[in-house]
Amino acid sequence: MAGDDARSGQRGSGAGPLTIKERRHLNPSRAANLLIALAVRALPPAHRERYVQEFYGEIFGMSRARQVGYCLTLVVHSTRLALALDERDPTAEESARRDWRCALRRHHYVTRNNPDAETKVAAFYEQCARCARIRDRHPSGYTAIGP
Amino acid sequence: MTIPTQLVLENLLADPSQELYGLQIGQMAGLPSGTVHPILARLEAVGWLTSRWEDVDPREQGRPARRYYRLSAEGAVAAKAALARAYRPTRLPGSAHAPGQA
């Protein structure tokens, strides 16, 4: 597959470690970081960390323009992924039973912690104690994630 | 079953023992990246797919680990049966319309 050399993160045999310039080229761009953060925000918190890592694994080695294009489609279809994950989320049924206050958007948010998260975006979230609706605690924390 | 799901399953069934990551599956099926992951999540939820992290040291490899997907044994059987039953519009030669469509 084209780009496999770049994906491997190494030059030819015995060529030594990558230079800073080469590493910068291979690392995700800021735009890609931002778009991945946006894409996973729609997902249930328990799945965010996994998909952040999965998306980083996939865009690695792409050109910056291709990274942005790839991540844009992830953002566009993130609701579909969230729905697919919700279907197997055991709390989904619980969230369907809505309190009347929640129907009026009067949620009772409590801060919860995702102990498996390694990034700030995925680590903390706020969840309604009544209907389990999730609101991010750090809405401006896009730049916090990334390898 | 949607056409994108059929395309994903067809590509995975080409070699059920092969492990592929999301980008590869999307490229083989000719689907945009964003549409592949929801399909994979659904198939994984029903047990047709299994996934695992690539067993590499990111520092050593100089790149993040990938998430690999493969068909489970029961998933391969079920996918074959489902594909055989699935409606698949095929464009007839010289026809602009697929059969069965209005």
Side-chain angles (χ1 to χ4, degrees), chain A residues 49-106:
Chain A
E49 183 66 24
R50 173 208 158 155
Y51 280 97
V52 166
Q53 300 303 329
E54 186 167 344
F55 295 154
Y56 277 126
E58 292 184 355
I59 65 169
F60 185 85
M62 289 180 182
S63 69
R64 301 213 158 191
R66 194 157 168 242
Q67 283 178 5
V68 171
Y70 187 88
C71 293
L72 268 174
T73 60
L74 293 177
V75 172
V76 168
H77 296 282
S78 61
T79 343
R80 280 189 191 179
L81 179 57
L83 286 172
L85 293 170
D86 269 343
E87 284 174 10
R88 62 178 182 180
D89 189 342
T91 63
E93 192 182 340
E94 188 184 337
S95 65
R97 295 196 299 269
R98 280 206 160 185
D99 189 279
W100 65 272
R101 288 163 290 186
C102 298
L104 294 173
R105 294 179 175 254
R106 296 288 182 192

Side-chain angles (χ1 to χ4, degrees), chain B residues 25-101:
Chain B
I25 296 170
Q27 285 174 339
M28 289 169 72
L31 297 171
S33 55
T35 59
V36 174
H37 289 97
I39 293 169
L40 296 176
R42 284 200 176 91
L43 294 175
E44 198 177 358
V46 295
W48 288 16
L49 286 186
T50 56
S51 68
R52 67 167 184 93
W53 285 109
E54 188 182 16
D55 190 18
V56 296
D57 181 358
R59 286 182 189 169
E60 204 172 281
Q61 291 289 316
R63 64 169 176 80
R66 295 170 182 144
R67 186 89 181 175
Y68 277 103
Y69 297 87
R70 65 180 288 184
L71 280 170
S72 64
E74 61 188 41
V77 175
K80 274 182 194 168
L83 283 175
R85 288 195 309 268
Y87 170 73
R88 185 74 182 271
T90 50
R91 186 171 292 193
L92 296 172
S95 167
H97 299 287
Q101 287 186 339

